[in-house]
Every structure is written in C-alpha cells, then in structure tokens.
Amino acid sequence: MGRPLNFQQIQVFKTVMETGTTTKAAIALNTTQPSISRKLADLQQAAGLQLFELHHGRLRPTREGRQLYRSVRKHFEGLEKIETVVGILRKSGAGVLRIGSTPTLATGLLPKVIDRFMQRFPGTFINLQTEATPQLEEHLRQELVDLALTTGTMDTALFQCTTITRARAVCIVPHEHELARLPTVDLATLHRFRLILLNDSDNIVIRMRELLAEGGYPEDVAVETNSSITICALVAAGVGIGVVNPFIANTFAGQFAIKDLNPPIPVEVLLAQSITMAPSMLTKAFSEMLACS
C-alpha cells in the first residue's frame, strides 16, 4: 500500500514532466539534480508506481506517469487560479464595489468621487444602484450593496451609519424671478410663490413645513414630486421655485439661481453599511474618499 505524497514530491514530478530532464527541473526549482532524483524516487516509492523508465539514458514517462501528470496539472491550474484571485483581492479588495444611493446624491455628489476612485483602482467594477432610502435599507439588509448614501434617516440599530458631510438646503429660483435678486431667501416669503416640493416623507420638506407652521404661514404647493431632479428641471423651465439639497442644485448651476435659506434647514449625508459584514478594502477606500469630498 502506498504512502501519502507531499507537495514537494508532486512539484518535482510536474517539473520533470514539463522540462523533460532532472537537470532542467533542478534549474527551474533552484535546487540540485541529485535532490530532484531523490524526490522523484521517493515519489515513486510512496505511490507504489513506476512513473518513469530510462530510455537511451533519458527518462521517459510511463502510462501511469502520464495519467498522474494530467491530474496534477488540473490541480496546479486550480492553484494558479486561486493565486490570481488572491492577487486581485490583495490589490483591489473584492474587485467589485456595490454602491446604493439616493438619485440626488448619485447625481450631485458621487460622480467626482467615483472618478477619483477609478483613477486609484482602475480595474474595479462599480455597480451603482439609485433607490429611495427604504429600498436602500432593504438592499443593505440583503447585502446586495456594500454601502449606501442618503440624506434620509437610517435605523442605527440595524446599520453602521456615519455622517460624512453636513450642508444646508437651498432655494432654487428662475433667473428672472424677483427672489433671484436677493442674497438670501426667507422662508416667511415662500408662501407668496408657487412651490415645487418633494413629498411629505422628505426630511427637508418636513422641516420646512414645521418652520412655516411655526410662523403661521400658509404654503402654495403647485407641484409635488418624488424627485429633486424633476424639481430642478421644473424650476429651470420657470414653473415655480423649489427647495432642494445643495448637491443636486449645484449639478444644475447656471440653469437657475441658487439662494441660501433663512432660517437654514440642515442636510446630512449618511454613509450606511451593514453591521454583520466586514467592509472590503475597496469599501474602506471609497468611504475615506467620500469623507474627504
């Protein structure tokens, strides 16, 4: 009955098969010819098989030797694939970065960050999905994304949340509008104009309506939508005035006037990650770039 084979014996056998002689195998493995011959003999003894025979002074593989080589070759191909994957992981984390984001941040905040990231990790594949905050939470729960960005509210008991930047909502008005001449826009004046707002679940709208109610001011909502991008398009067309986060407003700068609000309405950008899955190297690198953006 044969003995277990060790890796060095198998590596010597493979190299002899591929180089044709023990001398060339010794050069390839940076060792001596006697060492190669000894390990080859140990292999044949351990396997209980004759893997080579001498033919005119040269080693010639037997049928068993050729069959064993085919199996060994498949094994080493698998190892080479593993080494390739390890090299990719070492260089760029998991090789794929999956980002979830609200549409406004995907439009107004992420493009420049992704551009810098791709310059640093040019071989990375990025999957960017834009969803509302509740859908982003579900994607994180199912581990379909590595990180999520939102100006909404996340459950800190379920996700690791970090505020990466703080800003203030802005009022956007058509260039020819009377408010475009003012340095800032008071919320108290908004009730006199047609408003284009997000729906009631948006944090900016919730706070704006609280401030208007505290002052006893009514509101004239002409258009309600679930998209800040739509608000920007409608304001640019002169339909009315809107209140949005500054990231999306700056994306369309030049198409309308952008005014600070008084009193200010805070906007926080949250970076959310799973608490059950450790972040990859790519996720960490991207998160650091976001924090510096």
Side-chain angles (χ1 to χ4, degrees):
M1 186 174 180
R3 301 193 307 271
L5 310 180
N6 62 50
F7 179 77
Q8 284 188 337
Q9 292 169 344
I10 294 172
Q11 186 181 40
V12 164
F13 167 72
K14 171 180 174 290
T15 307
V16 170
M17 287 290 294
E18 292 175 348
T19 61
T21 69
T22 55
T23 301
K24 291 180 179 178
I27 295 172
L29 296 176
N30 194 28
T31 186
T32 64
Q33 189 273 337
S35 175
I36 294 294
S37 297
R38 185 172 59 253
K39 287 184 171 62
L40 204 57
D42 291 342
L43 170 64
Q44 293 185 105
Q45 186 177 5
L49 296 169
Q50 184 179 358
L51 303 174
F52 295 93
E53 63 178 20
L54 279 174
H55 180 70
H56 299 306
R58 296 176 62 88
L59 288 177
R60 182 169 66 175
T62 62
R63 181 169 59 86
E64 291 82 5
R66 292 188 182 279
Q67 288 179 340
L68 178 61
Y69 174 72
R70 284 194 287 269
S71 295
V72 168
R73 179 65 254 174
K74 290 180 181 178
H75 170 76
F76 272 81
E77 285 175 354
L79 287 178
E80 289 166 1
K81 289 179 181 177
I82 292 172
E83 290 173 355
T84 299
V85 171
V86 169
I88 293 172
L89 293 177
R90 188 184 299 115
K91 181 179 179 181
S92 59
V96 175
L97 180 63
R98 304 168 303 169
I99 305 170
S101 175
T102 54
T104 55
L105 293 179
T107 304
L109 178 65
L110 285 181
K112 291 182 179 179
V113 180
I114 290 176
D115 179 54
R116 293 202 308 272
F117 183 83
M118 293 298 287
Q119 291 179 32
R120 180 176 172 187
F121 301 97
T124 304
F125 175 79
I126 291 182
N127 182 276
L128 174 59
Q129 298 294 322
T130 58
E131 302 282 357
T133 301
Q135 284 70 44
L136 292 178
E137 287 186 314
E138 187 59 29
H139 285 352
L140 277 174
R141 287 193 194 97
Q142 298 181 25
E143 297 184 355
L144 298 177
V145 295
D146 300 309
L147 56 90
L149 286 166
T150 180
T151 53
T153 303
M154 286 278 198
D155 190 339
T156 55
L158 297 176
F159 309 108
Q160 179 182 334
C161 298
T162 305
T163 300
I164 61 170
T165 188
R166 290 179 172 87
R168 295 178 176 181
V170 294
C171 182
I172 55 176
V173 301
H175 285 297
E176 65 278 6
H177 197 279
E178 62 182 272
L179 293 179
R181 298 189 295 271
L182 301 177
T184 61
V185 172
D186 291 332
L187 281 174
T189 66
L190 290 184
H191 70 279
R192 298 192 291 110
F193 306 99
R194 290 185 299 174
L195 299 178
I196 308 170
L197 299 179
L198 292 169
N199 55 40
D200 292 341
S201 62
D202 180 76
N203 288 353
I204 292 177
V205 173
I206 291 172
R207 182 55 183 156
M208 190 186 81
R209 284 178 167 158
E210 288 175 350
L211 292 171
L212 289 174
E214 289 172 6
Y217 300 111
E219 60 181 57
D220 179 15
V221 179
V223 179
E224 186 175 276
T225 177
N226 66 344
S227 170
S228 294
I229 297 174
T230 301
I231 293 178
C232 291
L234 291 173
V235 171
V239 175
I241 65 174
V243 177
V244 296
N245 72 59
F247 308 105
I248 192 64
N250 290 333
T251 302
F252 294 93
Q255 298 186 36
F256 40 65
I258 302 173
K259 301 296 177 179
D260 291 332
L261 281 170
N262 183 40
I265 298 176
V267 175
E268 290 190 348
V269 178
L270 290 184
L271 169 64
Q273 299 179 63
S274 169
I275 59 175
T276 60
M277 181 175 64
S280 67
M281 190 185 79
L282 286 178
T283 303
K284 291 179 180 178
F286 193 81
S287 300
E288 291 171 0
M289 287 189 180
L290 279 169
C292 297
S293 62

